[in-house]
């Protein structure tokens, strides 16, 4: 039987990866793909998959979009909405143009970040932690501009993988995408620079037992409109 690449759009808000991560029996037969926009512009972005626009998307700063796709090769384009015209877009306006392969036994998280005229894109595989138990699965993405290296602490927990982090790239993502088991509970999360200066913090963060979380440091150092901040996507 001929297989067609069909995109299924989620319209239920922020995507839950817990169902994809907790147990092998919960893994969908299609690739679950989330797209998070941390590219600092007010206009937001537009996503195209195989030149088809995801039908329901806001593309605003810090928004989460996504789709289900039959596994295989996909072309993903990202366009700055401020450069769209009434006629749509052309090739010169595409700021990200990448070809990726998706596997049906995995779900993925993609991030658009960087600074104006210097956009960046990374994709992370979402793979469960073996025997997570009562702990929380956490990973940290350095998606900020102007902070060369950062350290992330969760309460008094200092996880080596979360220290001296440089901005994400193709060279770092294989290490970054691994969820680390940390103590569950409510914490203050802090981001500091190499000298120990506080860059950002987020209080009363509840890392629930058995749950998975992305911690992101995003924004631009010294920028009032898009300041450095810690944001989370709670995978529940």
């Amino acid at each position: 039987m001929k297989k067609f690449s069909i995109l299924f759009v989620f319209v239920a808000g922020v995507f839950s990866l817990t169902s994809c991560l907790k147990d092998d029996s919960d893994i969908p037969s299609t690739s679950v793909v989330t797209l998070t926009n941390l590219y600092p512009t007010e206009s937001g972005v537009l996503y195209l998959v195989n030149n088809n626009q995801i039908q329901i998307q806001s593309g605003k700063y810090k928004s989460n979009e996504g789709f289900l796709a039959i596994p295989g090769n996909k072309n993903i384009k990202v366009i700055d909405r401020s450069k769209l015209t009434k006629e749509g877009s052309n090739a010169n306006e595409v700021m990200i143009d990448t070809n990726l392969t998706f596997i049906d036994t995995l779900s993925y998280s993609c991030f658009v970040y960087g600074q104006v005229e210097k956009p960046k894109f990374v994709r992370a595989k979402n793979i469960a932690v073996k025997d997570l138990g009562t702990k929380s699965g956490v990973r940290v993405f350095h998606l900020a501009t102007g902070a060369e290296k950062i350290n992330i602490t969760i309460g008094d927990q200092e996880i080596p993988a979360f220290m001296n982090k440089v901005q994400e790239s193709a060279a770092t993502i294989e290490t970054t995408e691994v969820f680390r088991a940390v103590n569950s509970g409510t914490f203050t999360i802090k981001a500091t620079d190499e000298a120990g200066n506080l860059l950002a913090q987020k209080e009363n963060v509840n890392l629930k037992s058995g749950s998975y979380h992305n911690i992101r440091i995003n924004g631009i150092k010294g920028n009032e409109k898009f300041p450095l901040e810690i944001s989370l996507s709670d995978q529940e």
Side-chain angles (χ1 to χ4, degrees):
M1 180 182 296
K2 184 177 180 180
K3 293 184 179 180
F4 296 91
S5 294
I6 303 173
L7 302 183
F8 298 89
V9 181
F10 281 105
V11 294
V14 179
F15 300 93
S16 171
L17 295 183
T18 299
S19 61
C20 299
L21 291 169
K22 279 188 174 179
D23 189 273
D24 288 346
S25 63
D26 292 326
I27 295 175
S29 59
T30 51
S31 295
V32 181
V33 186
T34 63
L35 301 158
T36 299
N37 176 31
L38 296 172
Y39 182 67
T41 61
E42 292 182 327
S43 57
V45 300
L46 180 72
Y47 301 104
L48 302 177
V49 180
N50 287 350
N51 291 318
N52 295 311
Q53 181 177 328
I54 295 178
Q55 294 179 354
I56 300 177
Q57 57 174 301
S58 74
K60 293 180 180 179
Y61 185 61
K62 295 191 289 187
S63 67
N64 296 289
E65 327 289 345
F67 61 93
L68 285 173
I70 299 298
N73 297 323
K74 299 285 180 288
N75 174 260
I76 296 179
K77 292 184 176 71
V78 185
I79 299 169
D80 186 338
R81 285 179 180 264
S82 68
K83 297 183 179 179
L84 289 174
T85 65
K86 291 182 179 180
E87 291 73 29
S89 63
N90 60 53
N92 294 328
E93 295 165 342
V94 175
M95 61 187 208
I96 300 292
D97 187 343
T98 184
N99 294 304
L100 301 170
T101 300
F102 297 96
I103 302 172
D104 62 358
T105 55
L106 294 175
S107 62
Y108 301 86
S109 297
C110 303
F111 301 91
V112 183
Y113 60 107
Q115 54 187 315
V116 176
E117 305 302 334
K118 294 182 180 179
K120 299 181 180 181
F121 180 94
V122 291
R123 180 186 69 167
K125 297 187 294 291
N126 303 323
I127 300 175
V129 175
K130 291 183 178 180
D131 302 320
L132 185 61
T134 60
K135 291 183 177 292
S136 294
V138 174
R139 58 188 179 181
V140 172
F141 294 89
H142 181 349
L143 304 169
T145 298
E148 185 174 349
K149 290 184 179 181
I150 61 166
N151 301 304
I152 295 288
T153 54
I154 303 172
D156 60 1
Q157 299 178 83
E158 294 186 2
I159 310 301
F162 302 163
M163 311 299 284
N164 293 313
K165 287 189 64 65
V166 298
Q167 190 185 55
E168 304 304 340
S169 67
T172 66
I173 198 63
E174 187 173 344
T175 298
T176 294
E177 69 184 7
V178 178
F179 284 100
R180 316 286 173 168
V182 305
N183 293 333
S184 56
T186 301
F187 304 98
T188 294
I189 299 177
K190 295 182 179 181
T192 57
D193 62 16
E194 295 175 272
N197 299 309
L198 183 66
L199 298 174
Q201 73 175 28
K202 192 171 184 67
E203 300 178 345
N204 298 317
V205 177
N206 185 13
L207 302 180
K208 295 181 180 179
S209 172
S211 297
Y212 291 85
H213 311 266
N214 292 327
I215 298 175
R216 298 90 56 104
I217 176 75
N218 54 272
I220 304 172
K221 186 177 181 179
N223 188 296
E224 294 184 359
K225 188 172 292 185
F226 301 100
L228 289 181
E229 63 179 338
I230 295 170
S231 60
L232 287 91
S233 54
D234 191 347
Q235 310 304 321
E236 289 193 324

